[in-house]
Amino acid sequence: MTIERLETKTRMSRIVKHNNTVYLCGQVCADASQSITEQTQTMLDKVEALLLEAGSSKKHLLSATIYLKTMADFAAMNTVWDAWVPEGFAAMARDVLLVEISVVAALIQ
């Protein structure tokens, strides 16, 4: 099993490839002074560029977890997310839910 790390910095690698799976470190917006829609779009632009650099694309997403500072931004963020994500990928959860979990696990060898 080979692990390949790309764009490695002092504390992290922006891209890690292992067993035909691409892992990206947490991505944030390009300009934190912008609105939630602009922050979401620039964050997703960075994700898309990193996926392409790693030899993947958003059409090959297995899982995505998005953290919001406030649920007041949920609808605006979801508008950008829904326009970006390929058809058939799970939409974000309903805002009335109080808890949600996303898990990634390795297969037992």
Side-chain angles (χ1 to χ4, degrees):
M1 289 186 247
T2 303
I3 297 173
E4 182 180 358
R5 300 176 190 282
L6 305 172
E7 294 197 29
T8 300
K9 310 286 185 209
T10 304
R11 293 184 177 84
M12 57 136 189
S13 298
R14 291 184 75 194
I15 301 167
V16 176
K17 294 170 30 172
H18 178 257
N19 287 344
N20 295 320
T21 303
V22 175
Y23 301 89
L24 302 183
C25 68
Q27 297 301 308
V28 295
C29 62
D31 181 354
S33 69
Q34 295 185 333
S35 72
I36 184 64
T37 56
E38 292 162 322
Q39 287 191 31
T40 301
Q41 186 61 60
T42 61
M43 175 189 69
L44 293 175
D45 291 346
K46 289 167 67 175
V47 166
E48 194 159 9
L50 289 169
L51 288 172
L52 290 173
E53 180 180 339
S56 188
S57 73
K58 66 183 180 181
K59 292 181 180 179
H60 293 88
L61 289 176
L62 298 173
S63 176
T65 303
I66 299 173
Y67 300 96
L68 289 171
K69 183 175 183 178
T70 174
M71 287 305 290
D73 290 331
F74 184 81
M77 181 282 304
N78 237 358
T79 299
V80 178
W81 170 255
D82 289 342
W84 182 83
V85 73
E87 186 175 329
F89 196 80
M92 294 296 292
R94 297 179 323 274
D95 60 352
V96 296
L97 297 175
L98 300 178
V99 63
E100 178 180 0
I101 187 170
S102 177
V103 175
V104 177
L107 294 173
I108 297 172
Q109 299 293 320

